[in-house]
Amino acid sequence: MKLLAGDRWTAAVPKVLTALGLESEPAGHLAELAPALHAAYVQVASGAGAAAVARTEDR
């Protein structure tokens, strides 16, 4: 299987976005996903415990 590129990808983009229910500009979709991603990070960080090597910062 090969990924489409160039003119073939450009021609396929509208159909792909429609099939996935996405808009051509990703900002709105990413803004919708951000709270769930943040909650997942917080959940993982809270379960990491004091001995964790990684740290998280709330910004």
Side-chain angles (χ1 to χ4, degrees):
M1 179 184 284
K2 291 178 75 174
L3 296 176
L4 296 177
D7 291 339
R8 292 181 71 194
W9 170 245
T10 302
V13 167
K15 290 181 182 178
V16 171
L17 292 175
T18 299
L20 295 174
L22 298 174
E23 298 179 14
S24 60
E25 185 57 45
H29 182 65
L30 294 175
E32 291 174 14
L33 296 174
L37 179 59
H38 177 72
Y41 279 133
V42 169
Q43 183 179 10
V44 169
S46 68
V53 178
R55 67 183 178 134
T56 59
E57 295 179 6
D58 195 16
R59 293 183 183 204

Tab-separated table of all heavy atoms in Angstrom:
chain	number	residue	atom	x	y	z
A	1	MET	N	0.844	-1.169	0.000
A	1	MET	CA	0.000	0.000	0.000
A	1	MET	C	0.893	1.238	0.000
A	1	MET	O	1.855	1.320	0.738
A	1	MET	CB	-0.898	-0.004	1.237
A	1	MET	CG	-1.787	1.199	1.311
A	1	MET	SD	-2.791	1.293	2.800
A	1	MET	CE	-4.029	0.093	2.427
A	2	LYS	N	0.562	2.201	-0.849
A	2	LYS	CA	1.317	3.448	-0.921
A	2	LYS	C	0.389	4.615	-0.609
A	2	LYS	O	-0.782	4.593	-0.953
A	2	LYS	CB	1.903	3.628	-2.323
A	2	LYS	CG	3.004	2.634	-2.659
A	2	LYS	CD	3.511	2.831	-4.064
A	2	LYS	CE	4.384	4.056	-4.116
A	2	LYS	NZ	5.038	4.246	-5.405
A	3	LEU	N	0.940	5.621	0.032
A	3	LEU	CA	0.190	6.833	0.291
A	3	LEU	C	0.102	7.670	-0.975
A	3	LEU	O	1.013	7.664	-1.804
A	3	LEU	CB	0.874	7.644	1.385
A	3	LEU	CG	0.937	7.003	2.762
A	3	LEU	CD1	1.737	7.887	3.718
A	3	LEU	CD2	-0.457	6.767	3.308
A	4	LEU	N	-0.994	8.385	-1.115
A	4	LEU	CA	-1.130	9.287	-2.253
A	4	LEU	C	-0.269	10.517	-2.019
A	4	LEU	O	-0.065	10.942	-0.876
A	4	LEU	CB	-2.582	9.716	-2.422
A	4	LEU	CG	-3.585	8.620	-2.761
A	4	LEU	CD1	-4.985	9.214	-2.826
A	4	LEU	CD2	-3.238	7.951	-4.072
A	5	ALA	N	0.220	11.099	-3.089
A	5	ALA	CA	1.038	12.304	-3.000
A	5	ALA	C	0.758	13.189	-4.202
A	5	ALA	O	0.183	12.747	-5.202
A	5	ALA	CB	2.522	11.937	-2.944
A	6	GLY	N	1.155	14.432	-4.080
A	6	GLY	CA	1.056	15.361	-5.206
A	6	GLY	C	-0.368	15.587	-5.672
A	6	GLY	O	-1.291	15.731	-4.873
A	7	ASP	N	-0.541	15.598	-6.990
A	7	ASP	CA	-1.851	15.861	-7.591
A	7	ASP	C	-2.887	14.809	-7.207
A	7	ASP	O	-4.070	15.124	-7.044
A	7	ASP	CB	-1.735	15.927	-9.117
A	7	ASP	CG	-0.969	17.146	-9.592
A	7	ASP	OD1	-0.866	18.122	-8.814
A	7	ASP	OD2	-0.467	17.123	-10.731
A	8	ARG	N	-2.461	13.574	-7.047
A	8	ARG	CA	-3.414	12.514	-6.671
A	8	ARG	C	-3.958	12.766	-5.273
A	8	ARG	O	-5.139	12.563	-5.009
A	8	ARG	CB	-2.754	11.148	-6.777
A	8	ARG	CG	-2.441	10.775	-8.240
A	8	ARG	CD	-1.818	9.431	-8.358
A	8	ARG	NE	-2.839	8.414	-8.054
A	8	ARG	CZ	-2.569	7.148	-7.811
A	8	ARG	NH1	-1.316	6.726	-7.836
A	8	ARG	NH2	-3.523	6.289	-7.556
A	9	TRP	N	-3.089	13.190	-4.343
A	9	TRP	CA	-3.556	13.497	-2.988
A	9	TRP	C	-4.460	14.726	-3.008
A	9	TRP	O	-5.514	14.745	-2.391
A	9	TRP	CB	-2.390	13.702	-2.039
A	9	TRP	CG	-2.817	14.238	-0.710
A	9	TRP	CD1	-2.493	15.443	-0.181
A	9	TRP	CD2	-3.675	13.611	0.244
A	9	TRP	NE1	-3.088	15.603	1.058
A	9	TRP	CE2	-3.831	14.482	1.329
A	9	TRP	CE3	-4.341	12.385	0.277
A	9	TRP	CZ2	-4.613	14.183	2.438
A	9	TRP	CZ3	-5.123	12.081	1.383
A	9	TRP	CH2	-5.247	12.979	2.450
A	10	THR	N	-4.051	15.766	-3.728
A	10	THR	CA	-4.841	16.991	-3.816
A	10	THR	C	-6.244	16.692	-4.333
A	10	THR	O	-7.228	17.238	-3.824
A	10	THR	CB	-4.139	18.015	-4.725
A	10	THR	OG1	-2.839	18.283	-4.186
A	10	THR	CG2	-4.915	19.312	-4.819
A	11	ALA	N	-6.350	15.821	-5.310
A	11	ALA	CA	-7.649	15.463	-5.865
A	11	ALA	C	-8.477	14.631	-4.890
A	11	ALA	O	-9.703	14.715	-4.868
A	11	ALA	CB	-7.462	14.687	-7.172
A	12	ALA	N	-7.825	13.842	-4.048
A	12	ALA	CA	-8.527	12.952	-3.126
A	12	ALA	C	-8.938	13.620	-1.820
A	12	ALA	O	-9.841	13.133	-1.133
A	12	ALA	CB	-7.647	11.739	-2.826
A	13	VAL	N	-8.303	14.727	-1.460
A	13	VAL	CA	-8.540	15.370	-0.164
A	13	VAL	C	-10.025	15.628	0.123
A	13	VAL	O	-10.513	15.268	1.200
A	13	VAL	CB	-7.717	16.674	-0.012
A	13	VAL	CG1	-8.191	17.500	1.161
A	13	VAL	CG2	-6.253	16.344	0.150
A	14	PRO	N	-10.783	16.234	-0.783
A	14	PRO	CA	-12.196	16.485	-0.462
A	14	PRO	C	-12.977	15.213	-0.121
A	14	PRO	O	-13.759	15.188	0.823
A	14	PRO	CB	-12.742	17.150	-1.728
A	14	PRO	CG	-11.552	17.746	-2.387
A	14	PRO	CD	-10.422	16.795	-2.085
A	15	LYS	N	-12.749	14.145	-0.861
A	15	LYS	CA	-13.447	12.886	-0.591
A	15	LYS	C	-13.015	12.290	0.738
A	15	LYS	O	-13.826	11.764	1.499
A	15	LYS	CB	-13.181	11.880	-1.713
A	15	LYS	CG	-13.845	12.227	-3.009
A	15	LYS	CD	-13.547	11.174	-4.063
A	15	LYS	CE	-14.169	11.551	-5.387
A	15	LYS	NZ	-13.857	10.578	-6.434
A	16	VAL	N	-11.732	12.374	1.040
A	16	VAL	CA	-11.211	11.837	2.302
A	16	VAL	C	-11.799	12.601	3.482
A	16	VAL	O	-12.270	12.004	4.455
A	16	VAL	CB	-9.664	11.887	2.326
A	16	VAL	CG1	-9.125	11.533	3.698
A	16	VAL	CG2	-9.088	10.957	1.268
A	17	LEU	N	-11.784	13.927	3.407
A	17	LEU	CA	-12.326	14.741	4.493
A	17	LEU	C	-13.813	14.473	4.693
A	17	LEU	O	-14.289	14.353	5.832
A	17	LEU	CB	-12.082	16.224	4.221
A	17	LEU	CG	-10.622	16.672	4.270
A	17	LEU	CD1	-10.505	18.135	3.858
A	17	LEU	CD2	-10.022	16.448	5.644
A	18	THR	N	-14.555	14.364	3.604
A	18	THR	CA	-15.985	14.062	3.706
A	18	THR	C	-16.209	12.694	4.330
A	18	THR	O	-17.050	12.537	5.223
A	18	THR	CB	-16.650	14.123	2.316
A	18	THR	OG1	-16.499	15.456	1.804
A	18	THR	CG2	-18.124	13.769	2.389
A	19	ALA	N	-15.441	11.703	3.913
A	19	ALA	CA	-15.588	10.352	4.452
A	19	ALA	C	-15.289	10.304	5.946
A	19	ALA	O	-15.906	9.532	6.687
A	19	ALA	CB	-14.672	9.388	3.700
A	20	LEU	N	-14.356	11.131	6.396
A	20	LEU	CA	-13.988	11.159	7.807
A	20	LEU	C	-14.816	12.160	8.614
A	20	LEU	O	-14.686	12.240	9.840
A	20	LEU	CB	-12.500	11.507	7.949
A	20	LEU	CG	-11.526	10.479	7.372
A	20	LEU	CD1	-10.102	11.010	7.443
A	20	LEU	CD2	-11.652	9.150	8.098
A	21	GLY	N	-15.648	12.930	7.933
A	21	GLY	CA	-16.458	13.930	8.617
A	21	GLY	C	-15.641	15.084	9.152
A	21	GLY	O	-15.960	15.653	10.190
A	22	LEU	N	-14.569	15.431	8.435
A	22	LEU	CA	-13.666	16.498	8.876
A	22	LEU	C	-13.746	17.693	7.942
A	22	LEU	O	-14.105	17.564	6.775
A	22	LEU	CB	-12.221	15.983	8.904
A	22	LEU	CG	-11.938	14.838	9.864
A	22	LEU	CD1	-10.515	14.336	9.670
A	22	LEU	CD2	-12.169	15.266	11.301
A	23	GLU	N	-13.374	18.858	8.493
A	23	GLU	CA	-13.277	20.067	7.683
A	23	GLU	C	-11.846	20.215	7.188
A	23	GLU	O	-10.927	19.619	7.737
A	23	GLU	CB	-13.683	21.282	8.514
A	23	GLU	CG	-15.126	21.218	8.988
A	23	GLU	CD	-15.501	22.416	9.830
A	23	GLU	OE1	-14.760	23.412	9.833
A	23	GLU	OE2	-16.545	22.343	10.486
A	24	SER	N	-11.649	21.050	6.186
A	24	SER	CA	-10.299	21.221	5.633
A	24	SER	C	-9.374	21.945	6.598
A	24	SER	O	-8.161	21.772	6.548
A	24	SER	CB	-10.349	21.956	4.295
A	24	SER	OG	-10.918	23.235	4.464
A	25	GLU	N	-9.940	22.766	7.487
A	25	GLU	CA	-9.128	23.468	8.488
A	25	GLU	C	-9.238	22.703	9.812
A	25	GLU	O	-10.320	22.574	10.361
A	25	GLU	CB	-9.629	24.909	8.659
A	25	GLU	CG	-8.789	25.755	9.566
A	25	GLU	CD	-7.337	25.847	9.157
A	25	GLU	OE1	-7.052	26.040	7.965
A	25	GLU	OE2	-6.471	25.703	10.045
A	26	PRO	N	-8.123	22.202	10.352
A	26	PRO	CA	-8.187	21.334	11.527
A	26	PRO	C	-8.352	22.041	12.872
A	26	PRO	O	-8.597	21.390	13.877
A	26	PRO	CB	-6.838	20.603	11.483
A	26	PRO	CG	-5.917	21.580	10.829
A	26	PRO	CD	-6.769	22.285	9.793
A	27	ALA	N	-8.244	23.361	12.926
A	27	ALA	CA	-8.243	24.069	14.209
A	27	ALA	C	-9.480	23.768	15.056
A	27	ALA	O	-9.375	23.536	16.259
A	27	ALA	CB	-8.107	25.570	13.984
A	28	GLY	N	-10.657	23.771	14.463
A	28	GLY	CA	-11.879	23.511	15.206
A	28	GLY	C	-11.919	22.104	15.771
A	28	GLY	O	-12.282	21.887	16.928
A	29	HIS	N	-11.532	21.139	14.952
A	29	HIS	CA	-11.528	19.738	15.383
A	29	HIS	C	-10.517	19.532	16.516
A	29	HIS	O	-10.809	18.856	17.499
A	29	HIS	CB	-11.201	18.834	14.196
A	29	HIS	CG	-11.222	17.377	14.515
A	29	HIS	ND1	-12.363	16.717	14.880
A	29	HIS	CD2	-10.240	16.460	14.527
A	29	HIS	CE1	-12.088	15.445	15.113
A	29	HIS	NE2	-10.807	15.262	14.900
A	30	LEU	N	-9.348	20.124	16.375
A	30	LEU	CA	-8.329	19.993	17.418
A	30	LEU	C	-8.772	20.665	18.713
A	30	LEU	O	-8.515	20.145	19.802
A	30	LEU	CB	-7.003	20.579	16.931
A	30	LEU	CG	-6.360	19.826	15.767
A	30	LEU	CD1	-5.105	20.570	15.293
A	30	LEU	CD2	-6.034	18.403	16.142
A	31	ALA	N	-9.465	21.785	18.603
A	31	ALA	CA	-9.971	22.469	19.795
A	31	ALA	C	-11.002	21.600	20.520
A	31	ALA	O	-11.067	21.597	21.749
A	31	ALA	CB	-10.581	23.812	19.416
A	32	GLU	N	-11.792	20.832	19.768
A	32	GLU	CA	-12.764	19.924	20.373
A	32	GLU	C	-12.070	18.775	21.110
A	32	GLU	O	-12.560	18.299	22.129
A	32	GLU	CB	-13.688	19.340	19.313
A	32	GLU	CG	-14.650	20.332	18.705
A	32	GLU	CD	-15.443	19.723	17.556
A	32	GLU	OE1	-15.444	18.496	17.394
A	32	GLU	OE2	-16.067	20.507	16.811
A	33	LEU	N	-10.940	18.322	20.588
A	33	LEU	CA	-10.227	17.187	21.170
A	33	LEU	C	-9.340	17.581	22.352
A	33	LEU	O	-9.015	16.734	23.185
A	33	LEU	CB	-9.357	16.511	20.107
A	33	LEU	CG	-10.102	15.869	18.942
A	33	LEU	CD1	-9.111	15.358	17.901
A	33	LEU	CD2	-11.008	14.756	19.415
A	34	ALA	N	-8.947	18.831	22.434
A	34	ALA	CA	-7.988	19.279	23.451
A	34	ALA	C	-8.422	18.970	24.885
A	34	ALA	O	-7.599	18.479	25.673
A	34	ALA	CB	-7.697	20.768	23.282
A	35	PRO	N	-9.680	19.217	25.290
A	35	PRO	CA	-10.051	18.907	26.675
A	35	PRO	C	-9.926	17.416	27.019
A	35	PRO	O	-9.477	17.067	28.111
A	35	PRO	CB	-11.510	19.366	26.768
A	35	PRO	CG	-11.665	20.383	25.690
A	35	PRO	CD	-10.758	19.915	24.593
A	36	ALA	N	-10.288	16.547	26.097
A	36	ALA	CA	-10.171	15.104	26.352
A	36	ALA	C	-8.710	14.690	26.465
A	36	ALA	O	-8.349	13.866	27.319
A	36	ALA	CB	-10.866	14.311	25.248
A	37	LEU	N	-7.867	15.265	25.635
A	37	LEU	CA	-6.438	14.958	25.697
A	37	LEU	C	-5.847	15.446	27.016
A	37	LEU	O	-5.086	14.727	27.671
A	37	LEU	CB	-5.702	15.597	24.517
A	37	LEU	CG	-4.199	15.376	24.455
A	37	LEU	CD1	-3.870	13.890	24.387
A	37	LEU	CD2	-3.608	16.106	23.276
A	38	HIS	N	-6.222	16.654	27.431
A	38	HIS	CA	-5.733	17.188	28.698
A	38	HIS	C	-6.177	16.298	29.857
A	38	HIS	O	-5.381	15.982	30.750
A	38	HIS	CB	-6.229	18.618	28.906
A	38	HIS	CG	-5.817	19.203	30.212
A	38	HIS	ND1	-4.518	19.587	30.484
A	38	HIS	CD2	-6.520	19.442	31.341
A	38	HIS	CE1	-4.448	20.042	31.715
A	38	HIS	NE2	-5.650	19.963	32.262
A	39	ALA	N	-7.437	15.876	29.849
A	39	ALA	CA	-7.948	15.012	30.915
A	39	ALA	C	-7.188	13.691	30.965
A	39	ALA	O	-6.883	13.176	32.048
A	39	ALA	CB	-9.440	14.760	30.716
A	40	ALA	N	-6.853	13.151	29.807
A	40	ALA	CA	-6.094	11.898	29.766
A	40	ALA	C	-4.698	12.092	30.344
A	40	ALA	O	-4.210	11.245	31.103
A	40	ALA	CB	-6.011	11.384	28.332
A	41	TYR	N	-4.051	13.205	30.007
A	41	TYR	CA	-2.728	13.492	30.564
A	41	TYR	C	-2.792	13.629	32.079
A	41	TYR	O	-1.951	13.115	32.799
A	41	TYR	CB	-2.141	14.775	29.979
A	41	TYR	CG	-1.503	14.623	28.624
A	41	TYR	CD1	-1.785	15.530	27.606
A	41	TYR	CD2	-0.609	13.604	28.355
A	41	TYR	CE1	-1.183	15.408	26.355
A	41	TYR	CE2	-0.017	13.475	27.109
A	41	TYR	CZ	-0.307	14.374	26.117
A	41	TYR	OH	0.269	14.261	24.900
A	42	VAL	N	-3.802	14.325	32.574
A	42	VAL	CA	-3.954	14.509	34.012
A	42	VAL	C	-4.173	13.164	34.697
A	42	VAL	O	-3.587	12.883	35.745
A	42	VAL	CB	-5.110	15.488	34.316
A	42	VAL	CG1	-5.463	15.494	35.792
A	42	VAL	CG2	-4.742	16.889	33.840
A	43	GLN	N	-4.999	12.319	34.099
A	43	GLN	CA	-5.259	10.999	34.676
A	43	GLN	C	-3.983	10.166	34.727
A	43	GLN	O	-3.694	9.536	35.744
A	43	GLN	CB	-6.325	10.275	33.859
A	43	GLN	CG	-6.699	8.925	34.434
A	43	GLN	CD	-7.780	8.237	33.616
A	43	GLN	OE1	-8.120	8.669	32.530
A	43	GLN	NE2	-8.305	7.160	34.145
A	44	VAL	N	-3.212	10.173	33.676
A	44	VAL	CA	-1.956	9.413	33.647
A	44	VAL	C	-0.983	9.984	34.681
A	44	VAL	O	-0.355	9.238	35.431
A	44	VAL	CB	-1.323	9.439	32.236
A	44	VAL	CG1	0.092	8.893	32.254
A	44	VAL	CG2	-2.181	8.628	31.276
A	45	ALA	N	-0.880	11.297	34.719
A	45	ALA	CA	0.046	11.928	35.660
A	45	ALA	C	-0.353	11.652	37.102
A	45	ALA	O	0.509	11.426	37.957
A	45	ALA	CB	0.089	13.435	35.414
A	46	SER	N	-1.634	11.626	37.395
A	46	SER	CA	-2.067	11.392	38.768
A	46	SER	C	-1.807	9.953	39.201
A	46	SER	O	-1.621	9.687	40.383
A	46	SER	CB	-3.549	11.722	38.939
A	46	SER	OG	-4.353	10.803	38.222
A	47	GLY	N	-1.727	9.051	38.251
A	47	GLY	CA	-1.445	7.657	38.574
A	47	GLY	C	0.026	7.318	38.545
A	47	GLY	O	0.433	6.214	38.904
A	48	ALA	N	0.852	8.274	38.167
A	48	ALA	CA	2.284	8.002	38.027
A	48	ALA	C	2.975	7.880	39.377
A	48	ALA	O	3.955	7.160	39.513
A	48	ALA	CB	2.949	9.095	37.186
A	49	GLY	N	2.504	8.600	40.364
A	49	GLY	CA	3.095	8.508	41.694
A	49	GLY	C	4.351	9.338	41.843
A	49	GLY	O	4.861	9.943	40.901
A	50	ALA	N	4.900	9.354	43.058
A	50	ALA	CA	6.057	10.191	43.384
A	50	ALA	C	7.341	9.688	42.754
A	50	ALA	O	8.286	10.446	42.583
A	50	ALA	CB	6.211	10.283	44.893
A	51	ALA	N	7.404	8.419	42.426
A	51	ALA	CA	8.639	7.860	41.885
A	51	ALA	C	8.739	8.029	40.359
A	51	ALA	O	9.687	7.540	39.756
A	51	ALA	CB	8.720	6.371	42.230
A	52	ALA	N	7.815	8.735	39.765
A	52	ALA	CA	7.814	8.897	38.302
A	52	ALA	C	8.995	9.725	37.842
A	52	ALA	O	9.423	10.666	38.515
A	52	ALA	CB	6.519	9.562	37.851
A	53	VAL	N	9.522	9.374	36.700
A	53	VAL	CA	10.651	10.099	36.126
A	53	VAL	C	10.156	11.321	35.356
A	53	VAL	O	10.826	12.337	35.306
A	53	VAL	CB	11.457	9.170	35.188
A	53	VAL	CG1	12.610	9.919	34.540
A	53	VAL	CG2	11.970	7.972	35.968
A	54	ALA	N	8.959	11.245	34.790
A	54	ALA	CA	8.415	12.348	34.013
A	54	ALA	C	7.620	13.269	34.917
A	54	ALA	O	7.179	12.891	35.987
A	54	ALA	CB	7.503	11.802	32.915
A	55	ARG	N	7.425	14.499	34.457
A	55	ARG	CA	6.598	15.439	35.197
A	55	ARG	C	5.697	16.166	34.211
A	55	ARG	O	5.984	16.242	33.013
A	55	ARG	CB	7.436	16.439	35.974
A	55	ARG	CG	8.218	17.385	35.108
A	55	ARG	CD	9.077	18.298	35.933
A	55	ARG	NE	9.813	19.136	35.011
A	55	ARG	CZ	9.934	20.443	35.144
A	55	ARG	NH1	9.405	21.047	36.159
A	55	ARG	NH2	10.619	21.139	34.271
A	56	THR	N	4.610	16.695	34.693
A	56	THR	CA	3.700	17.468	33.858
A	56	THR	C	3.561	18.850	34.452
A	56	THR	O	3.728	19.052	35.645
A	56	THR	CB	2.306	16.812	33.764
A	56	THR	OG1	1.773	16.717	35.084
A	56	THR	CG2	2.387	15.434	33.145
A	57	GLU	N	3.261	19.807	33.605
A	57	GLU	CA	3.037	21.177	34.038
A	57	GLU	C	1.695	21.624	33.509
A	57	GLU	O	1.376	21.398	32.356
A	57	GLU	CB	4.133	22.100	33.504
A	57	GLU	CG	5.498	21.796	34.051
A	57	GLU	CD	6.569	22.720	33.481
A	57	GLU	OE1	6.209	23.667	32.747
A	57	GLU	OE2	7.746	22.484	33.758
A	58	ASP	N	0.901	22.228	34.344
A	58	ASP	CA	-0.379	22.764	33.929
A	58	ASP	C	-0.166	24.195	33.470
A	58	ASP	O	0.298	25.032	34.232
A	58	ASP	CB	-1.357	22.711	35.103
A	58	ASP	CG	-2.787	22.918	34.650
A	58	ASP	OD1	-3.059	22.807	33.439
A	58	ASP	OD2	-3.628	23.184	35.509
A	59	ARG	N	-0.453	24.464	32.219
A	59	ARG	CA	-0.232	25.808	31.666
A	59	ARG	C	-1.537	26.448	31.317
A	59	ARG	O	-2.421	26.007	30.846
A	59	ARG	CB	0.639	25.764	30.431
A	59	ARG	CG	2.031	25.334	30.773
A	59	ARG	CD	2.879	25.359	29.555
A	59	ARG	NE	4.188	24.877	29.917
A	59	ARG	CZ	5.270	25.159	29.270
A	59	ARG	NH1	5.221	25.914	28.215
A	59	ARG	NH2	6.421	24.705	29.645
